Amino acid sequence: MPSFHTKTIEQILDPVAQQVSVLVVLHEASEDGSAMPDLSGQISAVNAAVQNLVKVGRDTTNSSKDAVLKQDMPPALVKVEAASNGLLEASVMLRDDPYSMPGRKTLIDGARGILGGTAQLLLVFDQAEVRKILRRCQGVLDYICVAEVIEVMGDLVTFVKNLTPGMTGMANMVSARAKELTFQVHRELLEKHLDSVKNTVPLLVSAIKITVTTISQGGQGLAEAKENRNYVIRKMSYDIREIMRVLQLTTYDEDDWAMDDLTVLKKAQDNITNQMARATEWLTDPNAAPGGIGESALRQILADAKKVADRVNEPYAGRIKQAVEDLTELTDKLADLRANGQGKTPEALQLSHAINAKLNALQKLVDDAVQDAVKNGTGKPANTLTGKMDQAQAWLANPSVNDKGVGRKAIEGLVAEGRRVAQNLSGPEKRELEQLCNDVDSLHKQLDALIRKGQGNSPEARAIRQQLAMKLQQLQQKIEKALANQVVDSFMDPTGPLAQLDRAAKAPAGC
């Protein structure tokens, strides 16, 4: 897998990385007492290149209108300049004393600093370029919402005329960016969603035209025409938002299939921030129709907030879930009122105001919850039996440590998994597994009660912990054995899933 996310950065930094590797090898080879060769000529050349890079960076910073670049560039320039000065210092030390250990260490630190500083500097440049593409994407995303208010053919013509250059520019920029990326999966995602946007453009124009025609012919079937138009708008908006998301990825692990809890939280938080303006616009416009982009944005915010609630600690999780439930209920009421032409009634206006206030409160709650998770971690049990077992045993070994409830949740998860597996069993095996689940559950509750009384380290609590640890091991073994037997049964069953798959694979074409 590539080390850098763009070909340009890779082409610049790969040779630097190789030179750092050479210096490390020279350093390690000289630790046996050999003298370091005179590197003053090479280091002077590196220093000259760095000074040129710094000059370009400063000139760019001074001329740029990008506030983020102006903030991020100076620290990167200071870092790479300091590393270059360190290299010069090391060359002098080693020229005077080829055996100097401080000189060798300064040399390696400087070389690594050059690599890290240059990488940081190039990333600042690169992110500024990405922001240019994001602004173009956002412009298109904002403009396609105009499609919701087009009711005459002349407005449709104007819409297409204005959309075309923006869409063409966005497509060219995204396509060029895709070719620049080194991670194949990111390239393919950009190309996939860009192709989808291109294919959706004629569908959008057609859907708007149908809506306009329906209005001009008396309005019969208008609700269906608008729903079809809004569906196409939502589809295009989704693809553009996905393009914007992928554009901001710099590592493979940031994407969904390798996403840790904190990354999911930050992604949901960003999505909520990005959707707030559209949701607020829909809420404050009593004429806004239900089912449009604004309502979709509001409901997407609630879906992302639910993701946050599933991954953060209490009391944030419970508060967010309750807020989402309340907002969902209020939004449903408002959508019904607007669908019945009652969007301007006192009840609807009061609802809009209440939802807007609660939505802002929800965003603040999400921000606080994510900040807490970043600072203190997420109290989420492991996904595997072994992982849950490790978490449970770690808590039992030292229940006085605040693990944010992870140990307790892991035990509850093991019991729940045991009971789920027992449902597919019968006879003594089923009864034994169910009894183990009950035993673990009972001991867990007893221990929890003692801990709440401040007696978590009492002789009684220690005895329960030992029993519970033993019962958990037995429970894990029973679950694993039952699952293994189910797999064996699938292989042995002549009518089971594997046999059906085999028959399907051998079936003639068209069957």
Side-chain angles (χ1 to χ4, degrees), residues 384-499:
T384 64
L385 278 178
T386 301
K388 287 186 176 73
M389 189 67 178
D390 290 342
Q391 291 173 335
Q393 297 289 16
W395 177 67
L396 290 175
N398 193 357
S400 61
V401 173
N402 180 16
D403 69 345
K404 300 189 178 301
V406 170
R408 292 180 174 87
K409 291 177 185 176
I411 292 175
E412 292 169 358
L414 287 166
V415 171
E417 181 66 13
R419 286 175 174 156
R420 185 189 67 78
V421 172
Q423 292 176 357
N424 297 319
L425 302 177
S426 60
E429 192 177 14
K430 178 184 179 72
R431 289 192 295 273
E432 288 176 9
L433 183 51
E434 288 177 336
Q435 186 58 53
L436 263 177
C437 290
N438 293 336
D439 291 345
V440 169
D441 193 33
S442 176
L443 289 169
H444 181 210
K445 289 176 179 177
Q446 293 176 46
L447 178 60
D448 194 45
L450 289 171
I451 291 172
R452 292 179 187 278
K453 295 177 183 178
Q455 301 173 12
N457 285 318
S458 65
E460 182 183 1
R462 287 197 293 271
I464 292 176
R465 279 155 51 191
Q466 290 177 354
Q467 282 183 277
L468 185 52
M470 181 183 67
K471 289 288 186 180
L472 281 170
Q473 289 179 346
Q474 294 174 2
L475 177 59
Q476 181 186 13
Q477 291 168 359
K478 284 286 185 183
I479 293 174
E480 289 175 343
K481 181 180 178 182
L483 291 174
N485 288 339
Q486 288 178 14
V487 174
V488 172
D489 290 343
S490 291
F491 276 101
M492 298 295 290
D493 183 4
T495 63
L498 291 174

Side-chain angles (χ1 to χ4, degrees), residues 181-213:
L181 298 179
T182 56
F183 294 116
Q184 181 180 350
V185 66
H186 293 170
R187 287 199 306 271
E188 291 175 350
L189 281 170
L190 284 183
E191 291 165 354
K192 168 190 167 186
H193 289 294
L194 181 58
D195 286 344
S196 181
V197 170
K198 291 177 180 178
N199 293 332
T200 307
V201 170
L203 299 179
L204 176 61
V205 175
S206 175
I208 299 172
K209 187 175 182 180
I210 291 173
T211 303
V212 170
T213 303

Side-chain angles (χ1 to χ4, degrees), residues 349-366:
L349 295 174
Q350 187 177 0
L351 263 178
S352 300
H353 181 75
I355 294 171
N356 205 7
K358 285 180 177 290
L359 193 63
N360 286 318
L362 175 63
Q363 185 183 23
K364 176 66 166 57
L365 190 57
V366 167

Side-chain angles (χ1 to χ4, degrees), residues 11-233:
Q11 288 167 1
I12 294 173
L13 289 185
D14 258 355
V16 179
Q18 291 172 16
Q19 287 302 313
V20 171
S21 298
V22 170
L23 289 175
V24 172
V25 170
L26 287 172
H27 170 63
E28 291 174 347
S30 64
E31 287 183 338
D32 62 1
S34 302
M36 282 289 285
D38 183 5
L39 299 173
S40 56
Q42 295 93 319
I43 289 176
S44 294
V46 170
N47 183 64
V50 167
Q51 292 306 317
N52 184 57
L53 191 61
V54 168
K55 183 180 182 302
V56 172
R58 288 206 173 104
D59 290 344
T60 302
T61 304
N62 293 333
S63 61
S64 176
K65 296 180 181 179
D66 189 321
V68 179
L69 183 143
K70 285 180 173 291
Q71 176 182 326
D72 292 348
M73 183 63 75
L77 296 174
V78 169
K79 182 177 181 179
V80 75
E81 243 185 337
S84 180
N85 292 335
L87 273 184
L88 286 174
E89 181 185 349
S91 70
V92 172
M93 295 168 69
L94 290 171
R95 186 182 58 200
D96 295 341
D97 179 7
Y99 299 93
S100 170
M101 291 306 296
R104 293 171 183 172
K105 183 179 184 306
T106 304
L107 177 72
I108 298 303
D109 290 344
R112 287 174 173 156
I114 290 283
L115 179 60
T118 306
Q120 183 180 343
L121 190 150
L122 292 174
L123 187 59
V124 171
F125 275 123
D126 184 69
Q127 289 175 338
E129 292 301 310
V130 169
R131 284 191 291 274
K132 291 179 184 177
I133 308 176
L134 292 175
R135 285 193 291 271
R136 179 60 66 93
C137 292
Q138 189 64 54
V140 174
L141 193 59
D142 291 340
Y143 189 69
I144 60 176
C145 296
V146 173
E148 287 190 303
V149 298
I150 295 175
E151 296 185 347
V152 296
M153 200 61 70
D155 290 344
L156 173 57
V157 173
T158 302
F159 174 79
V160 173
K161 182 179 179 181
N162 292 338
L163 178 65
T164 300
M167 185 69 72
T168 302
M170 183 191 80
N172 290 339
M173 293 174 81
V174 172
S175 180
R177 180 66 179 180
K179 295 174 183 176
E180 170 72 2
L181 298 179
T182 56
F183 294 116
Q184 181 180 350
V185 66
H186 293 170
R187 287 199 306 271
E188 291 175 350
L189 281 170
L190 284 183
E191 291 165 354
K192 168 190 167 186
H193 289 294
L194 181 58
D195 286 344
S196 181
V197 170
K198 291 177 180 178
N199 293 332
T200 307
V201 170
L203 299 179
L204 176 61
V205 175
S206 175
I208 299 172
K209 187 175 182 180
I210 291 173
T211 303
V212 170
T213 303
T214 303
I215 292 172
S216 67
Q217 293 178 352
Q220 185 175 2
L222 182 59
E224 291 82 359
K226 285 186 174 181
E227 175 55 34
N228 178 56
R229 177 203 63 195
N230 292 343
Y231 168 79
V232 177
I233 295 173

Side-chain angles (χ1 to χ4, degrees), residues 235-250:
K235 175 68 172 66
M236 183 178 288
S237 298
Y238 165 77
D239 283 315
I240 294 175
R241 283 195 296 271
E242 279 299 288
I243 287 172
M244 295 172 71
R245 181 183 70 83
V246 176
L247 283 170
Q248 297 173 79
L249 300 178
T250 57

